[in-house]
Every structure is written in C-alpha cells, then in structure tokens.
C-alpha cells in the first residue's frame, strides 16, 4: 500500500467516525435557532425590532415542550397546572409582558413559523412590537411527533 492510499483511507475512516447521526438531541438546537431566525425575519418585515435571545425564556420553552412531548398534554397549561407566566417566572425571567405560542406536528422550522403566521392569535404574538425577548423549545414524542414552544417577553 502506498502512503497516498493510507492517507485517503485514514481520511475516510475519520469521516465515518466523526459523522454522528442526527438525533433529536442534536436537531433540537438547530431547529430552535431556525425558528428564532425565521421569527425575527417576520418581525422585521412587520416593522418590529428583532427579538433578543433569552436563556431564561429558552429554559421555560424547552421545559414545556419536553413536557408536552412526554405527556401528550398539548396545552398552554402544564400538567401541574402551570401557566406560561408561571413557567417563565420559575425560569428566572422578570417580565412586564409575556406570551406563548405552541404547536405540534410541524416537521420543520419553516413549517411551524408559517403555521403560526397563518393563525391570527399566534401571528399577533410574533409581531407584537412590545415584546423584546424570545425563547424557543423543540422536542419529539416517542412516535417522533414534533412539539414546539415560543416564549416571548418584555423585561419588567
């Protein structure tokens, strides 16, 4: 075997070893970032300022999304009776205004943002220029059904 063949073989082996399969855990941050960007595209097109990312709102959105996927409870009310405002507060976000969008079944960030924009109440949250911060959550249930949450806030 020549050195060139060894090098090429080693490169292929390295590629095979380092290319991990896309899983829910690795896809979630990508989908969440895409929803964040698409939401800001819609906001700026409507004349609103872009939203800032909030670690606290991300935590609240993810927790609620994972709960919906785990329990099948597709609701703004958590299985423990919590409201979006309570979940956001529990995550440490101090707010003046809070809003939440949820969705289930959409298989891409583009699809879920389009669905929200085609719903008057969800669109109203996205283009509410008073809201300043956003957190996004994505999770799938055991049947691979996607769940999505957007938690919006204006600091108080």
């Amino acid at each position: 075997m020549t050195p060139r063949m060894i090098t090429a073989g080693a490169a292929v082996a390295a590629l095979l070893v380092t290319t991990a399969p896309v899983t829910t855990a690795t896809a979630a941050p990508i989908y969440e970032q895409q929803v964040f960007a698409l939401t800001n595209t819609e906001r700026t097109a409507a004349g609103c300022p872009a939203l800032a990312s909030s670690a606290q709102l991300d935590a609240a959105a993810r927790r609620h999304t994972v709960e919906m996927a785990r329990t099948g409870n597709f609701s703004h009310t958590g299985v423990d009776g919590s409201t979006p405002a309570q979940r956001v507060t529990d995550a440490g976000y101090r707010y003046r205004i809070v809003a939440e969008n949820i969705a289930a079944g959409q298989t891409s960030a583009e699809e879920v943002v389009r669905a929200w924009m085609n719903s008057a109440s969800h669109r109203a949250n996205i283009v509410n220029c008073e809201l300043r911060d956003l957190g996004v959550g994505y999770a799938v249930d055991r049947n691979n059904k996607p769940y999505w949450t957007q938690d919006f806030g204006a600091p108080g």
Side-chain angles (χ1 to χ4, degrees):
M1 201 180 267
T2 67
R4 171 174 260 156
M5 293 167 83
I6 293 171
T7 303
V12 170
L15 178 63
L16 292 173
V17 170
T18 59
T19 304
V22 176
T23 64
T24 300
T26 58
I30 295 166
Y31 287 147
E32 292 166 356
Q33 290 168 3
Q34 290 172 340
V35 166
F36 183 85
L38 291 166
T39 299
N40 272 330
T41 297
E42 295 294 346
R43 280 180 62 84
T44 57
C48 293
L51 294 159
S53 180
S54 164
Q56 293 94 352
L57 293 177
D58 279 338
R62 286 182 185 131
R63 189 179 101 215
H64 187 58
T65 308
V66 167
E67 177 187 284
M68 288 190 298
R70 184 179 49 80
T71 65
N73 178 45
F74 180 65
S75 174
H76 290 287
T77 304
V79 294
D80 61 356
S82 64
T83 66
Q86 289 168 324
R87 291 188 294 274
V88 164
T89 299
D90 289 348
Y93 186 84
R94 295 181 53 117
Y95 66 89
R96 180 176 52 83
I97 304 169
V98 68
E100 182 174 79
N101 286 346
I102 60 172
Q106 295 83 1
T107 58
S108 70
E110 294 83 3
E111 188 180 353
V112 74
V113 172
R114 185 172 43 251
W116 283 328
M117 290 302 291
N118 288 330
S119 161
S121 61
H122 294 101
R123 184 182 192 284
N125 288 337
I126 291 172
V127 299
N128 180 342
C129 295
E130 289 186 64
L131 296 167
R132 297 289 186 223
D133 300 322
L134 176 63
V136 180
Y138 169 83
V140 296
D141 68 11
R142 63 182 157 275
N143 297 316
N144 281 329
K145 179 180 179 180
Y147 288 82
W148 308 84
T149 303
Q150 289 182 309
D151 281 334
F152 301 87

